[in-house]
Amino acid sequence: MIKRLFSTTMVKKVKAQEFLLKTPKGTKDWADKDMVIRESIFNKLSTIFKKHGGVTIDTPVFELREILTGKYGEDSKLIYNLEDQGGELTSLRYDLTVPFARFVACNNLSTIKRYHIAKVYRRDQPAMTKGRMREFYQCDFDIAGNYDVMVPDSEILNILCEGLVGLNITDFKVKLNHRKILDGIFEACGVPNADIRKVSSAIDKLDKSPWDVVKKEILEKGQSEEVADKIWTFVQHSGSIREIIQVLKNSGLDNKSASEGIKEMEILAEYVEAFDIQNYLSFDLSLARGLDYYTGLIYEAVTSASAPPKNASELKNKAIEKRKKGSSSQEGEGKQQEVEEEEDASAYVGVGSIAAGGRYDNLVGMFANNKSIPCVGISFGVERLFSIIKQRVDLSKLSPQHTDVYVMAFGGGEGWNGFLKERMQITNKLWKAGINAEYVYKAKANTRKQFDAAEKSGAKLAVILGKEEFPEGKIRIKLLGLGEENEGEVISVDDLIPSVKKELSNFDVYDVTALLDNNL
Amino acid sequence: MIKRLFSTTMVKKVKAQEFLLKTPKGTKDWADKDMVIRESIFNKLSTIFKKHGGVTIDTPVFELREILTGKYGEDSKLIYNLEDQGGELTSLRYDLTVPFARFVACNNLSTIKRYHIAKVYRRDQPAMTKGRMREFYQCDFDIAGNYDVMVPDSEILNILCEGLVGLNITDFKVKLNHRKILDGIFEACGVPNADIRKVSSAIDKLDKSPWDVVKKEILEKGQSEEVADKIWTFVQHSGSIREIIQVLKNSGLDNKSASEGIKEMEILAEYVEAFDIQNYLSFDLSLARGLDYYTGLIYEAVTSASAPPKNASELKNKAIEKRKKGSSSQEGEGKQQEVEEEEDASAYVGVGSIAAGGRYDNLVGMFANNKSIPCVGISFGVERLFSIIKQRVDLSKLSPQHTDVYVMAFGGGEGWNGFLKERMQITNKLWKAGINAEYVYKAKANTRKQFDAAEKSGAKLAVILGKEEFPEGKIRIKLLGLGEENEGEVISVDDLIPSVKKELSNFDVYDVTALLDNNL
């Protein structure tokens, strides 16, 4: 972000001012080549969403404040409010999920698969380098409707994997957990019902903090040392879905909620194998997710964002190795275990999760007289995906401009008027034929300046009106970038459009999406 | 918008609530077929912007409040503020122009052609039927840089006409005026410098109110009757650029600012003829535009939105006839003239202007130490264009979903398990081949329900896994919508992808953009 201290005395109406000329904290301008990359990410993901039957919607950037109240747990303090200027109290949306649930309820829908790509707002401490902003994009796909257990959930996981692989990100893993199992564990370990969400949000920090820090938080939140230690015997485990189901069954955990969750995970294991995505998944009992509204399966994709693609698989294998070690020892060994956890996390976390979501069966009901419309969804973090992908793109080949033809006039001397009107007419002809074209906005422009402008625009072809040639109905076409000696070709003005189209058809378009194209 | 009074007792954490379930006043959800139409408008306009060398940017939805202060004249009261929750004071953007100027200054640019499609916010009295919202889209193209007089301005007018014609809106006219001429007229008529913007904003209402109402406002704003009557001798005129230049020359108007403006309009007349758009233009001395920041040419496109396309040319001719009458009589005849003005306006105004803009040479300088970066731009009003275009689209042919193939299983009786995993595998194959496909999210689903779901999705083809056929490596392909007797074709599972692709290649895609496609 460019900041500049600025002081000016305005002609006429503005007094001398002094303020920092910049975008608000935690926000940024998108421009230039970044926009090209971002648009290709949006295109790739929307193509996948459409492939799965998704339709798109667009909701207002602010909602009635009551709609957002009580949905985000401890993070509710991060909601941006609009000033009370009379009328309704409103707030900027915090995510796209609550507005989606409100939309489903408002329109009395019983089923919908929708995608939505838009900005959301959180008054968080920004960490720009890690892609944590106050204004940022989310790219969501959600399935609402009463369907069989884990069927839409497994399709969402499939979309998550397909999306990341489609963006050429293959060194990721998707951490899974189930709220019914997690809450069942807490219950079985002796956490009172009223404290479950508090303890859950402490456990969620295990990807960033070692166990002794998290344990301290659990004790501070009023649980006994014994309860905390019991929790640890569970949440340290991660591995394949079938492995962790076995761990849970061996643990002697006897809890109704957990048993339901385990049964659902068994079904999920079948379906992800049908989609052949099981190798991307890791059932991680420490995954909790902060949001209040999740009721079932939850997930989060992480990647070794900072590491170059080459040693990604090495890192992944190393991590899988560690995970295996972790899940084979039934109890953590204190210090040793903590260090491993930390290393593992730092290898994979970097910019934080790049996509996340889960099942939320009661959210629509909160807006629709408790009518049950179960939902499950995934949200891709665009800024984080962007920063990973930008490193992999050859920026020198990307142009934010799409100009193909530059129209110029060559002449000089007695009676030379610069052919401005003539350049306008010729350019207009090109535009009408659907050709991207520009010319210099000057009555008279010298040859050098016109070539410089053409080069800057990225144009492939020059169309040149010569002082002598043009009045005779002739015009010159010249490929750009071939040096001074290339004189091009003189053609009749009548042949302009077909000739230009023919020349342009020889060019390959450098397309970010092509670079990113990659199927599962 | 759907409103519903809602009262619920939430399981667990939410108390009984009562509030109106809706979007905030003046905002709406976009969904379903409307989204398809809107996206085609965005695509059409961005294609045109790219054709003219435009690059796109994206700025934050809120700006530091100081950035917006003092830019919008009387309308500044309509700016939405964010609540002061500690930190910087910010407000939602009111348009895309001021953020653009801030962007140019921030990045120290000397030239750029940028387009930006995004939402802006105004705390106005909403009039949804007329497309006046509190949250609405603008679609802007602006040219910044020091260029020869009227060259970028005429290109912007060209883009304006190309955009509307490209959207199949041809019954429009573009009203033009020049701030230097308008201010010169006010000066020559005896309006003190400090009162010019006030009087200007009164004159701007002449498209909606008769002269006696506007005159009253001018008198209330402290001008004498004589001054007001003098102003009227000018602002009643409209016609072709050359006609109105003649009117001004014949009027004996002797004012430096006005003379400069007239000279520029003479140059403009040449350029719009080079682009062959002069027939869309009407030089209208009553056009004033509310915003403070305009310094040169201003314009506004209006259309007879409510009238059906058939008699549009009739209306246009009638209006041109009237305009001619208006500009040939050098002085208004009071009552008679007023009635004509009113009728003329009501025929064309309807939803208000559908696109507007102008030249603003000092705005970037306000952010960049008075460094002069002259700008000129156009803003398309998406909501208004949308409501005109929606009336012209055959909605029955539009589908918001893009599903091509529906995967089903037929069976029943002993040992029938519904082939859910098999449907998942087959659908996954289709997805990997880039084919849009769905299946019913149930372990077992009866034939009727699967066909209903397929029909609802808009799919063209059914891929059917039969209880006996599929285990033998065979699968059925059946075109949908051909009735019960059509049994489709049984093929080997290995031939699935090529066979499906072949069948789908026979379908034409109904495309809104195709319907809208139309060059100047």
Side-chain angles (χ1 to χ4, degrees):
Chain A
M1 223 178 347
I2 291 148
K3 296 180 184 186
R4 187 136 53 90
L5 195 62
F6 133 83
S7 147
T8 179
T9 40
M10 266 307 296
V11 213
K12 285 189 182 174
K13 40 194 137 7
V14 179
K15 289 145 279 165
Q17 302 182 348
E18 279 212 7
F19 64 90
L20 220 48
L21 188 66
K22 64 175 198 71
T23 62
K25 186 176 175 184
T27 70
K28 63 171 226 172
D29 293 322
W30 287 87
D32 209 41
K33 297 180 180 186
D34 286 358
M35 279 300 273
V36 183
I37 298 172
R38 200 188 75 181
E39 289 202 337
S40 77
I41 295 175
F42 289 168
N43 284 340
K44 171 55 83 179
L45 292 177
S46 0
T47 302
I48 292 172
F49 297 154
K50 285 176 192 165
K51 212 157 76 175
H52 289 262
V55 298
T56 188
I57 69 165
D58 175 23
T59 63
V61 82
F62 50 85
E63 295 276 347
L64 294 181
R65 196 164 299 163
E66 293 127 319
I67 303 278
L68 306 187
T69 304
K71 311 298 186 301
Y72 301 108
E74 290 183 354
D75 288 339
S76 291
K77 62 183 184 296
L78 304 180
I79 293 174
Y80 272 100
N81 293 328
L82 266 77
E83 195 176 292
D84 182 4
Q85 292 170 290
E88 302 157 338
L89 293 182
T90 57
S91 300
L92 297 185
R93 61 183 166 215
Y94 180 87
D95 63 9
L96 302 177
T97 311
V98 170
F100 170 61
R102 194 266 309 143
F103 173 84
V104 171
C106 261
N107 292 284
N108 222 345
L109 303 177
S110 57
T111 63
I112 185 173
K113 298 196 227 180
R114 86 86 180 77
Y115 66 95
H116 190 182
I117 301 178
K119 288 171 172 178
V120 301
Y121 299 87
R122 301 183 185 178
R123 294 186 64 257
D124 213 339
Q125 270 316 306
M128 313 294 243
T129 50
K130 291 189 176 178
R132 191 167 72 230
M133 309 281 291
R134 290 180 155 197
E135 175 185 65
F136 59 99
Y137 271 90
Q138 285 192 339
C139 197
D140 283 23
F141 186 93
D142 292 79
I143 301 176
N146 265 297
Y147 298 116
D148 281 358
V149 170
M150 288 292 167
V151 182
D153 310 60
S154 57
E155 180 153 344
I156 291 282
L157 290 176
N158 195 6
I159 290 172
L160 167 51
C161 296
E162 198 179 348
L164 295 178
V165 173
L167 293 169
N168 247 337
I169 296 170
T170 48
D171 56 328
F172 67 92
K173 70 173 174 183
V174 179
K175 298 200 267 180
L176 301 176
N177 201 357
H178 197 301
R179 274 279 168 95
K180 284 186 189 166
I181 296 175
L182 193 64
D183 291 1
I185 288 172
F186 294 144
E187 214 173 78
C189 294
V191 178
N193 244 332
D195 291 348
I196 281 184
R197 284 280 74 75
K198 284 197 287 188
V199 174
S200 182
S201 96
I203 291 296
D204 200 44
K205 292 167 189 158
L206 273 174
D207 61 343
K208 295 182 200 92
S209 312
W211 169 241
D212 58 351
V213 174
V214 171
K215 180 176 173 180
K216 215 178 129 205
E217 189 177 329
I218 293 175
L219 300 185
E220 280 163 4
K221 285 179 169 168
Q223 313 309 310
S224 71
E225 181 124 18
E226 196 202 336
V227 166
D229 288 339
K230 252 194 192 167
I231 293 174
W232 177 241
T233 66
F234 289 98
V235 298
Q236 66 188 261
H237 295 293
S238 66
S240 77
I241 300 178
R242 294 196 191 275
E243 276 166 11
I244 300 304
I245 288 173
Q246 209 45 56
V247 168
L248 288 167
K249 286 188 170 170
N250 295 345
S251 73
L253 176 69
D254 180 23
N255 176 280
K256 192 172 159 278
S257 166
S259 300
E260 276 176 35
I262 292 169
K263 223 173 273 170
E264 294 189 8
M265 292 303 283
E266 282 176 326
I267 297 172
L268 182 70
E270 299 260 314
Y271 296 163
V272 298
E273 280 158 17
F275 287 141
D276 195 23
I277 52 169
Q278 67 277 10
N279 291 336
Y280 291 113
L281 311 180
S282 165
F283 189 175
D284 186 332
L285 291 176
S286 74
L287 180 74
R289 311 264 321 120
L291 299 172
D292 276 0
Y293 50 64
Y294 290 124
T295 55
L297 189 69
I298 47 178
Y299 31 84
E300 193 171 282
V302 291
T303 179
S304 61
S306 49
K310 276 167 198 160
N311 60 341
S313 63
E314 190 192 316
L315 274 170
K316 196 176 168 183
N317 291 338
K318 218 173 109 190
I320 287 168
E321 209 50 51
K322 269 183 198 165
R323 288 286 172 194
K324 278 194 187 136
K325 240 165 64 185
S327 62
S328 63
S329 75
Q330 288 293 316
E331 277 207 347
E333 292 288 307
K335 202 71 195 162
Q336 174 61 20
Q337 181 72 26
E338 289 159 33
V339 173
E340 277 186 16
E341 278 292 326
E342 226 184 342
E343 273 174 6
D344 188 359
S346 69
Y348 268 97
V349 172
V351 295
S353 69
I354 51 175
R359 171 163 286 283
Y360 49 102
D361 285 349
N362 301 329
L363 193 56
V364 176
M366 291 170 81
F367 300 121
N369 293 314
N370 287 331
K371 189 181 160 192
S372 171
I373 311 281
C375 297
V376 60
I378 180 71
S379 178
F380 289 89
V382 176
E383 272 75 4
R384 293 167 181 190
L385 292 173
F386 171 84
S387 65
I388 295 170
I389 289 166
K390 190 178 175 182
Q391 292 170 22
R392 301 184 182 177
V393 174
D394 183 353
L395 290 175
S396 71
K397 285 189 181 163
L398 267 193
S399 168
Q401 234 167 318
H402 297 76
T403 306
D404 289 319
V405 177
Y406 217 91
V407 177
M408 310 178 181
F410 288 0
E414 192 81 26
W416 172 239
N417 68 2
F419 277 162
L420 174 59
K421 281 186 70 170
E422 291 78 2
R423 281 184 279 140
M424 287 176 162
Q425 281 162 337
I426 291 295
T427 313
N428 204 33
K429 253 189 200 174
L430 294 166
W431 289 330
K432 284 188 185 180
I435 296 161
N436 302 354
E438 291 185 89
Y439 62 97
V440 168
Y441 296 152
K442 301 265 181 193
K444 291 185 198 178
N446 72 36
T447 310
R448 191 68 268 139
K449 280 193 176 150
Q450 293 182 88
F451 274 114
D452 287 350
E455 200 190 323
K456 212 184 140 203
S457 79
K460 295 142 191 152
L461 208 62
V463 164
I464 301 162
L465 288 66
K467 189 183 175 186
E468 274 83 39
E469 288 160 2
F470 189 69
E472 292 167 4
K474 287 176 193 150
I475 202 160
R476 192 178 291 266
I477 296 188
K478 189 175 135 96
L479 283 172
L480 289 164
L482 296 181
E484 298 277 321
E485 51 286 6
N486 161 40
E487 296 217 322
E489 193 192 346
V490 177
I491 59 161
S492 159
V493 173
D494 298 335
D495 297 332
L496 179 66
I497 301 300
S499 302
V500 165
K501 284 193 169 170
K502 189 164 164 286
E503 290 290 346
L504 291 179
S505 68
N506 295 326
F507 285 88
D508 275 343
V509 181
Y510 177 81
D511 188 358
V512 197
T513 43
L515 174 91
L516 299 177
D517 224 330
N518 198 0
N519 276 310
L520 258 175
Chain B
M1 222 174 352
I2 290 149
K3 296 178 184 185
R4 187 135 52 91
L5 196 62
F6 134 82
S7 148
T8 180
T9 40
M10 263 308 295
V11 212
K12 286 189 181 174
K13 40 193 131 18
V14 178
K15 290 145 279 167
Q17 301 182 352
E18 279 212 7
F19 64 90
L20 220 48
L21 188 67
K22 63 175 200 74
T23 62
K25 187 175 174 184
T27 70
K28 64 171 224 171
D29 293 322
W30 287 86
D32 209 42
K33 298 182 180 186
D34 286 359
M35 278 301 273
V36 183
I37 298 171
R38 200 189 75 181
E39 288 201 338
S40 77
I41 295 175
F42 288 168
N43 284 340
K44 172 55 83 178
L45 292 176
S46 1
T47 303
I48 291 172
F49 297 154
K50 286 176 189 163
K51 212 156 77 174
H52 289 261
V55 297
T56 189
I57 69 165
D58 176 24
T59 64
V61 81
F62 50 85
E63 294 275 348
L64 294 180
R65 196 164 299 163
E66 292 127 320
I67 303 276
L68 306 187
T69 305
K71 310 299 186 301
Y72 300 108
E74 291 182 354
D75 288 339
S76 291
K77 62 181 184 296
L78 303 181
I79 293 174
Y80 272 100
N81 293 328
L82 267 76
E83 195 176 291
D84 181 3
Q85 294 170 287
E88 303 158 338
L89 293 181
T90 56
S91 300
L92 297 185
R93 61 182 166 217
Y94 180 87
D95 63 9
L96 302 176
T97 312
V98 170
F100 170 62
R102 194 265 310 144
F103 172 85
V104 171
C106 260
N107 293 284
N108 222 345
L109 303 176
S110 57
T111 63
I112 186 172
K113 298 196 228 182
R114 87 86 180 78
Y115 66 94
H116 190 182
I117 301 178
K119 288 172 172 178
V120 301
Y121 299 87
R122 300 185 185 177
R123 295 186 62 260
D124 213 339
Q125 269 318 306
M128 314 292 243
T129 50
K130 290 188 175 180
R132 191 167 73 230
M133 308 280 292
R134 288 180 157 198
E135 173 183 66
F136 59 98
Y137 271 90
Q138 285 192 337
C139 196
D140 282 23
F141 186 94
D142 292 80
I143 302 176
N146 265 295
Y147 297 116
D148 281 358
V149 170
M150 287 293 165
V151 182
D153 312 60
S154 58
E155 180 154 341
I156 291 283
L157 290 176
N158 196 5
I159 290 171
L160 167 50
C161 297
E162 199 179 345
L164 295 178
V165 174
L167 294 169
N168 248 337
I169 296 170
T170 48
D171 56 328
F172 67 91
K173 70 175 175 180
V174 179
K175 298 199 269 180
L176 301 175
N177 201 359
H178 197 301
R179 274 279 168 94
K180 283 186 187 165
I181 296 174
L182 194 64
D183 292 1
I185 288 171
F186 294 143
E187 212 173 81
C189 294
V191 178
N193 245 330
D195 292 347
I196 281 183
R197 285 280 71 79
K198 284 197 288 187
V199 175
S200 183
S201 94
I203 290 297
D204 199 45
K205 293 167 188 159
L206 272 174
D207 60 345
K208 294 182 201 94
S209 312
W211 169 241
D212 56 354
V213 173
V214 171
K215 181 177 173 180
K216 216 178 130 203
E217 187 177 332
I218 294 174
L219 300 185
E220 279 162 5
K221 283 178 170 170
Q223 313 308 310
S224 72
E225 179 124 18
E226 198 201 334
V227 167
D229 288 338
K230 253 194 189 168
I231 292 173
W232 176 242
T233 66
F234 289 98
V235 297
Q236 67 188 261
H237 295 294
S238 66
S240 77
I241 300 178
R242 295 195 190 277
E243 276 168 7
I244 300 304
I245 289 173
Q246 209 45 55
V247 168
L248 288 167
K249 286 188 170 171
N250 294 344
S251 72
L253 177 68
D254 182 22
N255 175 281
K256 194 172 157 279
S257 165
S259 301
E260 277 176 33
I262 292 168
K263 225 174 270 168
E264 293 189 7
M265 291 304 283
E266 283 175 326
I267 296 171
L268 181 71
E270 300 260 315
Y271 296 163
V272 297
E273 281 158 16
F275 287 141
D276 197 22
I277 52 169
Q278 65 278 9
N279 291 335
Y280 292 112
L281 311 178
S282 164
F283 190 174
D284 185 332
L285 291 175
S286 74
L287 181 74
R289 311 265 320 122
L291 300 171
D292 275 1
Y293 50 63
Y294 290 124
T295 56
L297 189 69
I298 47 177
Y299 31 83
E300 194 171 281
V302 289
T303 180
S304 62
S306 47
K310 277 168 198 161
N311 61 340
S313 63
E314 190 192 316
L315 274 169
K316 195 177 170 186
N317 291 338
K318 217 173 111 191
I320 289 168
E321 210 50 51
K322 269 181 198 165
R323 289 285 171 195
K324 278 195 187 140
K325 239 164 66 183
S327 62
S328 64
S329 74
Q330 288 293 315
E331 276 206 349
E333 293 286 310
K335 203 66 195 164
Q336 175 59 22
Q337 182 71 27
E338 289 158 32
V339 172
E340 277 186 17
E341 278 291 327
E342 226 184 340
E343 274 174 5
D344 190 359
S346 67
Y348 270 96
V349 171
V351 295
S353 69
I354 51 175
R359 171 162 286 283
Y360 50 101
D361 285 348
N362 301 329
L363 193 56
V364 177
M366 291 169 81
F367 300 121
N369 294 313
N370 287 330
K371 189 181 160 193
S372 172
I373 310 281
C375 296
V376 61
I378 180 71
S379 178
F380 289 89
V382 176
E383 273 75 4
R384 292 167 182 190
L385 292 173
F386 170 84
S387 64
I388 295 170
I389 289 166
K390 189 177 175 181
Q391 293 170 22
R392 301 185 183 175
V393 174
D394 182 353
L395 290 175
S396 71
K397 285 190 182 162
L398 269 191
S399 168
Q401 234 167 319
H402 297 75
T403 307
D404 289 319
V405 177
Y406 217 90
V407 177
M408 309 178 183
F410 288 0
E414 191 82 22
W416 172 239
N417 68 3
F419 276 163
L420 174 59
K421 281 187 71 171
E422 291 78 2
R423 281 185 279 142
M424 287 175 161
Q425 281 163 338
I426 291 295
T427 312
N428 204 33
K429 253 191 202 174
L430 295 167
W431 288 331
K432 284 189 184 179
I435 295 162
N436 302 353
E438 291 185 90
Y439 62 97
V440 168
Y441 295 150
K442 300 265 182 192
K444 292 185 197 178
N446 72 36
T447 311
R448 190 71 267 138
K449 278 192 179 153
Q450 293 182 87
F451 273 115
D452 286 350
E455 200 190 323
K456 210 184 142 203
S457 80
K460 293 143 192 151
L461 207 63
V463 164
I464 300 162
L465 286 66
K467 190 183 173 187
E468 273 81 40
E469 287 160 4
F470 190 69
E472 293 166 3
K474 287 178 192 150
I475 201 160
R476 192 178 291 268
I477 296 188
K478 185 176 138 95
L479 282 172
L480 288 163
L482 295 182
E484 299 277 323
E485 52 286 10
N486 163 41
E487 296 217 323
E489 192 192 347
V490 177
I491 58 162
S492 158
V493 173
D494 297 336
D495 295 334
L496 178 67
I497 302 300
S499 301
V500 165
K501 283 192 170 169
K502 190 165 164 286
E503 288 291 347
L504 291 179
S505 69
N506 295 326
F507 285 89
D508 274 343
V509 181
Y510 177 81
D511 188 358
V512 197
T513 44
L515 174 91
L516 300 177
D517 223 332
N518 198 0
N519 276 309
L520 258 172

